Amino acid sequence: MKHVSKRLMMGAAFLAMAAFVPAAFAATPNDQLVIGTSLAQVLSLDPQQGTEVKTQEILANVYDRLVAFDPETSELFGELAESWDVDDTGITFHLRDAQFASGNPVTAADAVFSLVRLFKLDQSAAAGLKSFGFNADNAESLITAVDDKTVRINFADKVIPEALLYRLANGVGSVVDSVEVLKHVANNDYGNEWLRTNTAGSGPFVLNRWSPNEIVLLQRNDNFWGEAPAMTRVMFRHVPESQAARLMMERGDIDIANALTAPDVRYFEAQEGFAIDQAKTGGFYALAMNAGREPLNDPKVREIIAQYGIDYAGIAQTIVGPYGRVRNVPAPEDWEFAIPNPDWSFRPEEAKAMLAEAGYPNGFSLTIKTIAQPPRVDMATAIQANLAEIGIKVNVVQGNGADIVAQHRARDFDLLIPQTSAADPTALGALDNFTNNPDNSAEANNAGNFVWRSDWDIPELNALRVAANSELDATKRGEMVKQLQEDFIASSPAVFPMFERFEPVVVNARVEGYDAHPWGLTRLEGVTKGDAN
C-alpha cells in the first residue's frame, strides 16, 4: 500500500518572527518548517466549509480522508481506508486502526458523521459531491456504517466510481472526530462555529494557533497512525508582499515560498540552494462575467470581450509566467480528450467595430474585482488596459478573500477573476466548474457553483455534463467530453478560462521530500531538513 506523499513543516520558536522580517540571517531549525504564503483567503478551518487553496494545505495536515491521490501519478490510495470494494451500487471502505489527536478511535461512525455533515451544512464545499446526486435529504440513507470499521456509500445516481473516489479525496472529505465535535454544537450548527477556529482530526499535525492574516502554527500529532513526522512544528506565515518573501527566502527566514510574483519565482531559477516545484492544478485563472447585468447579459458582448478583447499571449508572457499558460478551453491541453485551443486573441480594431454593431459605439463602464494576490491583481490591471483599447472603461477593485469571495457568491460583480481546481484529475472533472448549473434561479442559491455565480443559465451544457458523468463506457464518455468542450466554446460563456493554473513553489535546498499537490493538499509528514550551509 502506498503511503502519503512528502511534506514540510516548522515551528513555535518562530512566533516572534510573525510580524516582521528579522534584521539578521536566522536559519530555521532542522525540526521546524516555515512556509511563507498568503493567508488572506483562509476564512475557516472547518474542513466541510473552507475550500480555498491555502486553507487546503493546512487542513490536509490536520485531517485524513478515506482516500487520497498521488500528486505525480494521480493514483488513488488509502489514507484512513486500508482498502475499498466497488460494486454496481456503491463503494465499501475498510478502515485502518487509527485515532484522533484527542485519543478517540477513528470509527466508521466518524466518517459517516463527517460526510453527512458536509451535506447538512450545505455550503459551497458540498457542490462537488452534490453534482453526483447526494444532498441533505438522502445523505443519511446513502452513507452508512456497516460496523465500527466499515463504511458503505451507495451511489445516488449512475456515476463513474473513480470520479466519486476522487471527489472523496478532496479536502471536503476530511474525517472529523465526531465525539469531540458534538461537544461543541450550538444552535444546530453541526459544530461549525467551533470548527472554524479549532481542529479535530487524525492527521500528522494538530492546530496550535491561528491568527488570521498573521500565522497558522501546527505541531506534531503524537497520536498519528503513520510514521511520526520529522518536523515537530510547521508554521504558515502571512507574507503577502512578494519582495519581502523573496528576501526572507534568501536570508533563510522561511523554507518555502508559495505566493511570489512571477518575476520573483524566476529570480530563484538562477540561484543556487533553491528548487522550484510547480504543481499543475488542473484548474484555471478564469474571467467571470455577470450575465445577469447589462450589457454582459448580451452574448455578443461577452463574445467580444472573451475572443477579441484580451491579450492572453502578452499577459502570459509578462505576468503569468510560471503560474500558467494560455488556455481558453476548460480542460488542460495535455489531458486525455482535451480539444485544441480556439483562436482567441487581442484584436482591438475588430472588437471596437463589433461593439458598435452590437449597439455600443461609445463603449461602456465595468468594474473588475479581484483578490489582492499575485498574479490576479496584475491580470486585472492588464485586462483593464486591454479593454480600454476597445472602448470599455474598467475600474479595478481589490479586496481580501472574505470580501471578494462573498461578493462572487452573491452575484455582486460585473467582472471578477476567480481561480478553479479540477473536481478530479480528468478532463470531465476540470469541466465541472464551467458546465455545472442545474438550477440558475436566485432561489436555488447555489453559491458553491461558479456558473450560478455568473447568473449564466446553461440547461443544454448541464444536461450533457450530467450524461457524460453517467456514461461508464470510457470511449463514449470521451466523445461526450469533447463535445462538451466544443459546445462550451460556442456558447459565449459568461465564465471562461484564461490561463491553465500552475502553483509554483520555491523550496530551500535544505528541504527534502516536499511534493506540491495539484489541489493544495500537500502533506508534510515525510518532509525532512538538512543543516544550513
Side-chain angles (χ1 to χ4, degrees), residues 464-493:
L464 181 54
R465 177 196 63 82
V466 170
N469 274 297
S470 301
E471 179 55 65
L472 300 183
D473 184 291
T475 301
K476 292 179 181 179
R477 185 168 66 248
E479 292 305 312
M480 297 170 77
V481 168
K482 291 178 182 178
Q483 187 64 53
L484 192 56
Q485 294 167 78
E486 291 168 359
D487 291 353
F488 173 86
I489 292 297
S491 65
S492 300

Side-chain angles (χ1 to χ4, degrees), residues 108-132:
D110 295 301
V112 170
F113 173 84
S114 303
L115 293 173
V116 170
R117 180 179 185 273
L118 173 67
F119 299 108
K120 294 294 186 180
L121 284 175
D122 199 19
Q123 300 197 13
S124 61
L129 281 163
K130 284 173 68 176
S131 68
F132 281 15

Side-chain angles (χ1 to χ4, degrees), residues 166-328:
Y166 277 124
R167 301 291 171 106
L168 293 170
N170 213 317
V172 300
S174 299
V175 175
V176 304
D177 183 344
S178 62
V179 174
E180 191 65 27
V181 173
L182 287 170
K183 295 177 184 177
H184 301 279
V185 172
N187 300 316
N188 297 316
D189 72 344
Y190 300 96
N192 173 248
E193 186 63 28
W194 182 77
L195 270 182
R196 288 173 62 89
T197 56
N198 295 274
T199 58
S202 58
F205 297 91
V206 296
L207 179 68
N208 177 280
R209 175 184 169 188
W210 173 30
S211 296
N213 290 330
E214 184 182 344
I215 65 164
V216 172
L217 180 64
L218 308 182
Q219 65 185 43
R220 185 163 57 198
N221 174 15
D222 292 333
N223 287 328
F224 180 51
W225 54 267
E227 184 176 345
M231 299 294 121
T232 59
R233 297 181 179 88
V234 179
M235 178 187 284
F236 297 87
R237 291 190 56 184
H238 183 52
V239 190
E241 295 297 329
S242 181
Q243 289 186 339
R246 190 185 83 178
L247 176 62
M248 294 167 75
M249 280 294 293
E250 290 184 288
R251 295 157 66 99
D253 300 325
I254 59 178
D255 301 305
I256 293 172
N258 62 17
L260 298 173
T261 61
D264 284 331
V265 173
R266 290 193 180 108
Y267 170 82
F268 284 101
E269 291 176 351
Q271 303 302 311
E272 291 187 9
F274 301 94
I276 298 174
D277 190 2
Q278 189 180 55
K280 293 175 64 175
T281 68
F284 301 89
Y285 292 107
L287 183 65
M289 297 186 271
N290 193 335
R293 292 185 178 181
E294 294 183 353
L296 298 172
N297 60 343
D298 184 342
K300 192 65 178 177
V301 169
R302 300 199 302 267
E303 176 187 322
I304 293 165
I305 291 174
Q307 299 187 27
Y308 301 89
I310 299 174
D311 184 7
Y312 301 106
I315 296 172
Q317 182 176 1
T318 60
I319 295 170
V320 179
Y323 276 91
R325 60 187 173 194
V326 176
R327 183 67 173 162
N328 303 117

Side-chain angles (χ1 to χ4, degrees), residues 407-451:
Q407 290 164 25
H408 191 199
R409 291 173 176 169
R411 296 177 167 178
D412 180 19
F413 66 95
D414 297 330
L415 305 175
L416 191 143
I417 301 179
Q419 65 182 33
T420 74
S421 295
D424 56 68
T426 65
L428 186 55
L431 280 158
D432 194 76
N433 275 312
F434 299 90
T435 59
N436 179 354
N437 193 14
D439 184 350
N440 192 55
S441 68
E443 293 74 24
N445 193 27
N446 193 4
N449 185 300
F450 270 36
V451 179

